[in-house]
mmCIF file of all heavy atoms in Angstrom:
data_model
loop_
_atom_site.group_PDB
_atom_site.id
_atom_site.type_symbol
_atom_site.label_atom_id
_atom_site.label_comp_id
_atom_site.label_asym_id
_atom_site.label_seq_id
_atom_site.Cartn_x
_atom_site.Cartn_y
_atom_site.Cartn_z
ATOM 1 N N GLU A 151 5.815 -38.444 34.730
ATOM 2 C CA GLU A 151 6.365 -37.821 33.512
ATOM 3 C C GLU A 151 6.803 -38.904 32.534
ATOM 4 O O GLU A 151 7.416 -39.902 32.946
ATOM 5 C CB GLU A 151 7.630 -37.018 33.842
ATOM 6 C CG GLU A 151 7.388 -35.603 34.259
ATOM 7 C CD GLU A 151 8.713 -34.945 34.686
ATOM 8 O OE1 GLU A 151 9.800 -35.531 34.470
ATOM 9 O OE2 GLU A 151 8.630 -33.870 35.261
ATOM 10 N N THR A 153 8.530 -39.325 28.416
ATOM 11 C CA THR A 153 9.065 -38.682 27.217
ATOM 12 C C THR A 153 9.395 -39.735 26.164
ATOM 13 O O THR A 153 10.131 -40.688 26.464
ATOM 14 C CB THR A 153 10.374 -37.928 27.544
ATOM 15 O OG1 THR A 153 10.095 -36.953 28.540
ATOM 16 C CG2 THR A 153 10.944 -37.241 26.304
ATOM 17 N N PHE A 154 8.830 -39.590 24.973
ATOM 18 C CA PHE A 154 9.286 -40.366 23.824
ATOM 19 C C PHE A 154 9.588 -39.354 22.721
ATOM 20 O O PHE A 154 8.689 -38.945 21.970
ATOM 21 C CB PHE A 154 8.230 -41.374 23.356
ATOM 22 C CG PHE A 154 8.025 -42.517 24.308
ATOM 23 C CD1 PHE A 154 6.764 -42.873 24.735
ATOM 24 C CD2 PHE A 154 9.121 -43.250 24.789
ATOM 25 C CE1 PHE A 154 6.580 -43.933 25.615
ATOM 26 C CE2 PHE A 154 8.946 -44.308 25.677
ATOM 27 C CZ PHE A 154 7.675 -44.641 26.089
ATOM 28 N N ALA A 155 10.827 -38.888 22.670
ATOM 29 C CA ALA A 155 11.202 -37.834 21.740
ATOM 30 C C ALA A 155 12.562 -38.162 21.143
ATOM 31 O O ALA A 155 13.572 -38.167 21.849
ATOM 32 C CB ALA A 155 11.262 -36.491 22.467
ATOM 33 N N ASN A 235 15.353 -34.369 20.264
ATOM 34 C CA ASN A 235 15.884 -35.491 21.035
ATOM 35 C C ASN A 235 15.842 -35.132 22.516
ATOM 36 O O ASN A 235 16.391 -34.114 22.929
ATOM 37 C CB ASN A 235 17.345 -35.761 20.653
ATOM 38 C CG ASN A 235 17.457 -36.413 19.306
ATOM 39 O OD1 ASN A 235 16.791 -37.404 19.018
ATOM 40 N ND2 ASN A 235 18.301 -35.857 18.454
ATOM 41 N N LYS A 236 15.138 -35.954 23.288
ATOM 42 C CA LYS A 236 15.199 -35.822 24.753
ATOM 43 C C LYS A 236 15.519 -37.219 25.239
ATOM 44 O O LYS A 236 14.635 -38.067 25.304
ATOM 45 C CB LYS A 236 13.859 -35.351 25.324
ATOM 46 C CG LYS A 236 13.538 -33.894 25.041
ATOM 47 C CD LYS A 236 12.239 -33.474 25.699
ATOM 48 C CE LYS A 236 12.410 -33.174 27.179
ATOM 49 N NZ LYS A 236 11.130 -32.707 27.794
ATOM 50 N N ASP A 237 16.800 -37.461 25.508
ATOM 51 C CA ASP A 237 17.167 -38.848 25.718
ATOM 52 C C ASP A 237 17.531 -39.198 27.151
ATOM 53 O O ASP A 237 18.259 -40.141 27.408
ATOM 54 C CB ASP A 237 18.275 -39.271 24.751
ATOM 55 C CG ASP A 237 19.437 -38.293 24.764
ATOM 56 O OD1 ASP A 237 19.467 -37.447 25.668
ATOM 57 O OD2 ASP A 237 20.290 -38.385 23.867
ATOM 58 N N ALA A 238 16.989 -38.447 28.094
ATOM 59 C CA ALA A 238 17.200 -38.834 29.494
ATOM 60 C C ALA A 238 16.252 -39.991 29.810
ATOM 61 O O ALA A 238 15.812 -40.697 28.925
ATOM 62 C CB ALA A 238 16.942 -37.640 30.385
ATOM 63 N N SER A 239 15.918 -40.171 31.056
ATOM 64 C CA SER A 239 15.020 -41.268 31.422
ATOM 65 C C SER A 239 13.652 -41.039 30.763
ATOM 66 O O SER A 239 13.224 -39.904 30.571
ATOM 67 C CB SER A 239 14.874 -41.322 32.931
ATOM 68 O OG SER A 239 14.613 -40.035 33.422
ATOM 69 N N TYR A 240 12.976 -42.120 30.410
ATOM 70 C CA TYR A 240 11.699 -41.936 29.708
ATOM 71 C C TYR A 240 10.489 -41.965 30.633
ATOM 72 O O TYR A 240 9.390 -41.605 30.229
ATOM 73 C CB TYR A 240 11.552 -42.926 28.551
ATOM 74 C CG TYR A 240 11.632 -44.397 28.873
ATOM 75 C CD1 TYR A 240 10.486 -45.138 29.116
ATOM 76 C CD2 TYR A 240 12.861 -45.049 28.917
ATOM 77 C CE1 TYR A 240 10.553 -46.494 29.386
ATOM 78 C CE2 TYR A 240 12.936 -46.407 29.190
ATOM 79 C CZ TYR A 240 11.786 -47.128 29.431
ATOM 80 O OH TYR A 240 11.847 -48.472 29.695
ATOM 81 N N ILE A 241 10.703 -42.418 31.881
ATOM 82 C CA ILE A 241 9.612 -42.335 32.874
ATOM 83 C C ILE A 241 10.199 -41.783 34.172
ATOM 84 O O ILE A 241 11.227 -42.269 34.657
ATOM 85 C CB ILE A 241 8.992 -43.721 33.175
ATOM 86 C CG1 ILE A 241 8.358 -44.333 31.930
ATOM 87 C CG2 ILE A 241 7.957 -43.616 34.296
ATOM 88 C CD1 ILE A 241 7.873 -45.773 32.132
ATOM 89 N N ASN A 242 9.548 -40.766 34.739
ATOM 90 C CA ASN A 242 9.867 -40.300 36.088
ATOM 91 C C ASN A 242 8.571 -40.271 36.877
ATOM 92 O O ASN A 242 7.579 -39.693 36.410
ATOM 93 C CB ASN A 242 10.469 -38.891 36.069
ATOM 94 C CG ASN A 242 11.875 -38.900 35.488
ATOM 95 O OD1 ASN A 242 12.760 -39.564 35.998
ATOM 96 N ND2 ASN A 242 12.048 -38.193 34.392
ATOM 97 N N SER A 251 12.990 -43.259 38.570
ATOM 98 C CA SER A 251 13.386 -42.850 37.234
ATOM 99 C C SER A 251 13.681 -44.115 36.426
ATOM 100 O O SER A 251 14.541 -44.906 36.811
ATOM 101 C CB SER A 251 14.630 -41.970 37.364
ATOM 102 O OG SER A 251 15.170 -41.721 36.106
ATOM 103 N N VAL A 252 12.958 -44.310 35.319
ATOM 104 C CA VAL A 252 13.200 -45.479 34.454
ATOM 105 C C VAL A 252 13.886 -44.961 33.191
ATOM 106 O O VAL A 252 13.324 -44.125 32.467
ATOM 107 C CB VAL A 252 11.882 -46.194 34.093
ATOM 108 C CG1 VAL A 252 12.158 -47.419 33.224
ATOM 109 C CG2 VAL A 252 11.111 -46.588 35.346
ATOM 110 N N GLY A 253 15.093 -45.436 32.940
ATOM 111 C CA GLY A 253 15.878 -44.872 31.842
ATOM 112 C C GLY A 253 16.231 -45.888 30.777
ATOM 113 O O GLY A 253 16.019 -47.091 30.938
ATOM 114 N N TRP A 254 16.788 -45.385 29.688
ATOM 115 C CA TRP A 254 17.199 -46.259 28.589
ATOM 116 C C TRP A 254 18.398 -47.119 28.984
ATOM 117 O O TRP A 254 18.564 -48.227 28.506
ATOM 118 C CB TRP A 254 17.533 -45.427 27.339
ATOM 119 C CG TRP A 254 16.356 -44.618 26.857
ATOM 120 C CD1 TRP A 254 16.196 -43.261 26.960
ATOM 121 C CD2 TRP A 254 15.176 -45.110 26.234
ATOM 122 N NE1 TRP A 254 14.971 -42.882 26.441
ATOM 123 C CE2 TRP A 254 14.334 -43.994 25.973
ATOM 124 C CE3 TRP A 254 14.716 -46.384 25.857
ATOM 125 C CZ2 TRP A 254 13.074 -44.110 25.370
ATOM 126 C CZ3 TRP A 254 13.466 -46.496 25.256
ATOM 127 C CH2 TRP A 254 12.673 -45.377 25.010
ATOM 128 N N ASN A 255 19.247 -46.573 29.887
ATOM 129 C CA ASN A 255 20.467 -47.301 30.272
ATOM 130 C C ASN A 255 20.514 -47.722 31.728
ATOM 131 O O ASN A 255 21.360 -48.525 32.119
ATOM 132 C CB ASN A 255 21.707 -46.438 29.990
ATOM 133 C CG ASN A 255 21.783 -46.074 28.519
ATOM 134 O OD1 ASN A 255 21.641 -46.938 27.661
ATOM 135 N ND2 ASN A 255 21.956 -44.796 28.234
ATOM 136 N N GLU A 256 19.645 -47.167 32.534
ATOM 137 C CA GLU A 256 19.682 -47.449 33.974
ATOM 138 C C GLU A 256 18.351 -47.004 34.581
ATOM 139 O O GLU A 256 17.757 -46.041 34.116
ATOM 140 C CB GLU A 256 20.817 -46.631 34.603
ATOM 141 C CG GLU A 256 20.923 -46.748 36.095
ATOM 142 C CD GLU A 256 21.989 -45.796 36.648
ATOM 143 O OE1 GLU A 256 21.677 -44.597 36.853
ATOM 144 O OE2 GLU A 256 23.124 -46.252 36.874
#
Side-chain angles (χ1 to χ4, degrees):
E151 273 175 10
T153 301
F154 290 129
N235 286 310
K236 288 183 80 178
D237 50 12
S239 48
Y240 58 94
I241 298 173
N242 289 301
S251 171
V252 181
W254 300 107
N255 301 312
E256 176 186 83

